[in-house]
Amino acid sequence: MFKINNFLDNDDILITDQMGSLKVAEYKRDLSVTKETAQKEYFAAQMGVRLKQLICDLSQSPVTLQQGAMQWMVGDVNAGTGIKGVGDFFSKSLRSSVTNESAIKPEYHGTGMVVLEPTYKYIILLDVEKWNGGLVLEDGYFLACESSLDHKTVARSSVSSAVAGGEGLFNLGLFGQGIVALESPVARNELIEVELEDDELRIDGSFAVAWSSSLKFTVERTTKSLIGSAASGEGLVNVYRGSGKVLMAPVDI
């Protein structure tokens, strides 16, 4: 049995989003400042640049975290590596080497609570089931998820074109039912969500944050001919084709 005072009952902390076992706490202002930094912190808060923390309620679901993300935990909490044997370790190590994600993502289960390190980035919660049952993430966005989700390596549909475009060949894919938390440099209300139904989206640059695994993802020339691409002033673009959704930032990330 535990009781936490001056945390979620603090009038300086807001719960800005909650899905499943995950909730996002945001500090309205940073009071731990000096007179030299007070002005900067005040205007940062006015612009929405505020500290945020992800809170995980293990009584609702076990969670899997990005390595090193945990700040504190309380109550009945058991931590593990999520490694189920030698084969699983090598599989996750291989996935880590090609997706730039940590090989070992610790899993926490029990009835207690886990709180992650504070961040000035934006924490975005997504229901994977609403993304055609599978969600592919751009490298570096994974923060945490409910452990009911399966982690898989998703390859680009066209390896040669990805190499030519300077893109990575593999991404982390999450499949099944559960909630995932992304750590994004762009706020959720500024991200553009494009829904495709037997159509295609072409993006010139690294704007995509996440997309449905049902989409075929390739890197292609803007036009079918090299001369046409040169004439248009564009080179290679990321193409998402089929039925599904793409979450896209308005600025290059």
Side-chain angles (χ1 to χ4, degrees), residues 54-248:
L54 185 69
I55 302 169
C56 310
D57 182 357
L58 301 185
S59 65
Q60 295 191 47
S61 172
V63 296
T64 301
L65 308 183
Q66 183 65 275
Q67 192 174 42
M70 189 274 292
Q71 186 188 47
W72 58 278
M73 52 188 177
V74 61
D76 175 22
V77 178
N78 297 294
T81 62
I83 301 296
K84 300 177 177 62
V86 175
D88 187 42
F89 173 75
F90 282 112
S91 174
K92 290 180 177 178
S93 296
L94 178 61
R95 183 170 67 225
S96 171
S97 66
V98 297
T99 63
N100 294 321
E101 296 286 346
S102 58
I104 299 177
K105 291 182 172 63
E107 295 183 4
Y108 296 84
H109 57 91
T111 58
M113 185 174 77
V114 177
V115 181
L116 275 61
E117 291 276 0
T119 177
Y120 278 107
K121 290 185 177 182
Y122 299 92
I123 300 175
I124 299 170
L125 304 182
L126 298 176
D127 185 347
V128 172
E129 190 177 16
K130 294 182 178 180
W131 289 74
N132 287 22
L135 182 67
V136 184
L137 306 181
E138 188 55 82
D139 291 346
Y141 280 84
F142 177 83
L143 179 62
C145 72
E146 294 180 333
S147 299
S148 55
L149 293 171
D150 292 327
H151 299 231
K152 298 180 181 178
T153 302
V154 178
R156 301 290 171 95
S157 300
S158 174
V159 173
S160 59
S161 61
V163 172
E167 298 286 342
L169 302 180
F170 303 92
N171 292 92
L172 173 65
L174 301 172
F175 298 85
Q177 297 180 342
I179 308 302
V180 59
L182 311 184
E183 190 176 20
S184 167
V186 180
R188 178 65 178 93
N189 59 6
E190 292 184 345
L191 293 176
I192 303 163
E193 187 174 303
V194 180
E195 295 190 37
L196 300 173
E197 185 172 346
D198 293 326
D199 212 325
E200 66 179 35
L201 170 67
R202 292 173 175 259
I203 304 176
D204 181 17
S206 301
F207 295 92
V209 172
W211 55 93
S212 300
S213 61
S214 55
L215 293 172
K216 181 181 180 182
F217 179 25
T218 61
V219 180
E220 303 174 6
R221 294 193 299 270
T222 51
T223 64
K224 293 183 179 180
S225 69
L226 288 172
I227 295 176
S229 294
S232 68
E234 304 290 347
L236 296 168
V237 294
N238 294 326
V239 181
Y240 304 82
R241 186 176 287 114
S243 298
K245 297 190 291 185
V246 179
L247 196 61
M248 180 175 62

